[in-house]
Amino acid sequence: MNNLTIMDIAREAGVSKATVSRVINSSGAVSQKTKERVMEIINANKFSPSATARNLSMGTSSAIGFIVPEIDNPFFGEILRGVTEVTDKNNLTLMCYNTDDDREKDRRALNLVKENRVKGILYTPAADYSDERDRKRLIRTFAEINVPVIVMDRNIRLPDVDGVYFNDYQGIYEATAALIEAGHTKIGMINADLERVLARDRQKGFFDAMKEAGIPVREDYMFAGDYHATKAYHLSRKLLAMEDRPTAVITCNNRTTLGFLKALSERGESVPDDIVCVGLDRIETLELLGHQYNFVERDAMRMGHEAIKLLLNRMEYPERPKMEVVLGLSLIHISEPTRRTPI
């Protein structure tokens, strides 16, 4: 019999699906005669129940849901590496879902982990959920899933939900302050639109550092993209073509940095000689190719470690108070200009 199902086994053995499930999972009372008949059919057809079917029958699983908006972004890849180092040691499996920063895909991913009866969820939301109706719907979804959830990276400030975050405000503040200390007063920023909580935090760090130094922020130096390289490339071309352009620029994530460096290279220019760049996040490939740029480092692997540890702790102590872990960042200086810019 091809593609044998529990229903097929039940029909051939003349028993219910529930009885077959009890035999497979060694749970509940089943007569020895019935058990032998069911096992004979299973062995004859080399039947192996899927993990999903087993999870559904037992009402639980050994799986953790991992939902992120950009699975192809090395930042989230590093988080995943940190998570798997811990899950492997604890005999847990991961169900990974990519939402492409799409609210509808976000909703579908949450529904899928609910259907698969995961033990817990590591979750980076695709949206801020600042709209009250959307926010209430998300909270209701978490209640229906009824397993621990750890929010990573994007703090949407949900009540009674644990989280692990970076202090992006402080990282961009320190990067801006370092540029100012090096003599820059004409500083640009390529960020994302302010509908994103991370974009707001990063812009505030920039604005506060400029304000404390008594340097006015030039609106024409502020560019809002979407944290993807293509958009950042087009914005960077505009920035670099300005007659009175910045002498330094802060790029607010790894893909934005890539877009900026592509636009700069097309002009036959480079960092740090023609313009100074401080990017958010290390880009290992650029370092291997010898590109020199300063960056604010977020230890994404550590975020993965902290998130899964927090989840396991919540699973063991479900009644403990809400916990949030805020990780620091490091400003890495690896380049100094040799001609035009003063840093």
Side-chain angles (χ1 to χ4, degrees):
M1 187 181 296
N2 295 324
N3 298 320
L4 193 72
T5 68
I6 290 178
M7 177 63 79
D8 296 326
I9 296 170
R11 187 181 299 111
E12 188 170 339
V15 298
S16 68
K17 286 175 59 180
T19 298
V20 176
S21 179
R22 284 196 292 271
V23 172
I24 291 172
N25 295 304
S26 300
S27 63
V30 181
S31 71
Q32 185 63 29
K33 184 178 179 180
T34 299
K35 183 177 180 180
E36 289 175 357
R37 185 162 69 251
V38 170
M39 289 306 301
E40 183 180 348
I41 296 168
I42 288 175
N43 293 332
N45 291 277
K46 298 180 180 180
F47 172 77
S48 178
S50 70
T52 299
R54 186 182 295 274
N55 293 345
L56 291 172
S57 67
M58 299 180 68
T60 186
S61 76
S62 62
I64 301 296
F66 183 81
I67 303 174
V68 292
E70 302 167 14
I71 197 68
D72 57 339
N73 187 328
F75 173 77
F76 290 105
E78 285 295 295
I79 291 178
L80 181 59
R81 282 184 59 196
V83 170
T84 56
E85 285 190 357
V86 178
T87 54
D88 288 350
K89 293 176 183 177
N90 287 273
N91 296 317
L92 296 168
T93 57
L94 285 175
M95 292 183 176
C96 298
Y97 301 86
N98 176 50
T99 64
D100 289 320
D101 272 314
D102 181 272
R103 192 184 300 260
E104 180 60 25
K105 288 185 178 180
D106 206 51
R107 184 189 64 80
R108 288 203 300 269
L110 288 168
N111 285 334
L112 283 170
V113 294
K114 176 184 175 182
E115 291 171 4
N116 283 285
R117 309 288 176 88
V118 296
K119 295 175 73 69
I121 301 170
L122 300 173
Y123 173 62
T124 300
D128 277 7
Y129 292 100
S130 53
D131 178 82
E132 190 61 25
R133 185 171 61 178
D134 287 343
R135 191 176 184 83
K136 287 181 178 178
R137 185 181 296 123
L138 181 64
I139 293 171
R140 186 165 58 249
T141 298
F142 283 169
E144 291 170 354
I145 295 172
N146 196 31
V147 298
V149 177
I150 307 298
V151 176
M152 305 179 296
D153 187 43
R154 301 178 182 180
N155 189 353
I156 53 177
R157 298 173 174 87
L158 293 175
D160 303 320
V161 178
D162 299 329
V164 182
Y165 314 105
F166 285 109
N167 192 341
D168 288 68
Y169 165 88
Q170 191 65 29
I172 297 300
Y173 173 90
E174 291 180 5
T176 309
L179 289 171
I180 293 169
E181 185 178 354
H184 290 281
T185 58
K186 297 163 60 177
I187 306 172
M189 171 180 264
I190 305 176
N191 198 1
D193 65 77
L194 298 183
E195 292 182 2
R196 302 178 184 229
V197 62
L198 291 181
R200 295 194 296 271
D201 289 345
R202 292 164 185 171
Q203 178 175 286
K204 188 174 188 327
F206 177 81
F207 276 29
D208 285 356
M210 295 287 279
K211 181 178 180 180
E212 288 181 17
I215 301 172
V217 173
R218 285 184 50 167
E219 290 298 324
D220 57 337
Y221 286 175
M222 305 298 295
F223 292 83
D226 56 8
Y227 289 152
H228 286 82
T230 300
K231 181 69 172 180
Y233 162 75
H234 292 295
L235 294 176
S236 299
R237 290 185 62 186
K238 293 179 181 179
L239 182 152
L240 294 168
M242 295 175 68
E243 185 173 344
D244 182 25
R245 77 184 195 185
T247 59
V249 63
I250 293 175
T251 51
C252 287
N253 83 332
N254 50 6
R255 289 176 165 178
T256 301
T257 302
L258 290 171
F260 172 78
L261 293 176
K262 177 183 178 183
L264 189 67
S265 176
E266 285 184 355
R267 295 174 59 91
E269 298 181 279
S270 64
V271 293
D273 293 334
D274 297 288
I275 189 170
V276 171
C277 175
V278 180
L280 183 62
D281 292 335
R282 179 190 296 270
I283 305 175
E284 184 178 1
T285 303
L286 291 182
E287 292 183 31
L288 293 173
L289 293 174
H291 286 277
Q292 300 294 298
Y293 71 104
N294 308 301
F295 60 91
V296 178
E297 183 173 33
R298 299 186 296 170
D299 190 341
M301 183 177 287
R302 184 184 172 197
M303 172 168 275
H305 284 153
E306 295 294 336
I308 186 61
K309 284 163 54 181
L310 196 58
L311 180 61
L312 294 176
N313 184 268
R314 171 61 71 185
M315 289 160 57
E316 186 173 358
Y317 303 103
E319 301 302 321
R320 67 160 170 75
K322 173 181 176 179
M323 289 186 63
E324 291 187 342
V325 177
V326 180
L327 304 175
L329 299 87
S330 302
L331 178 60
I332 310 296
H333 293 282
I334 60 173
S335 62
E336 294 292 336
T338 56
R339 50 180 195 275
R340 299 181 192 172
T341 52
I343 188 173

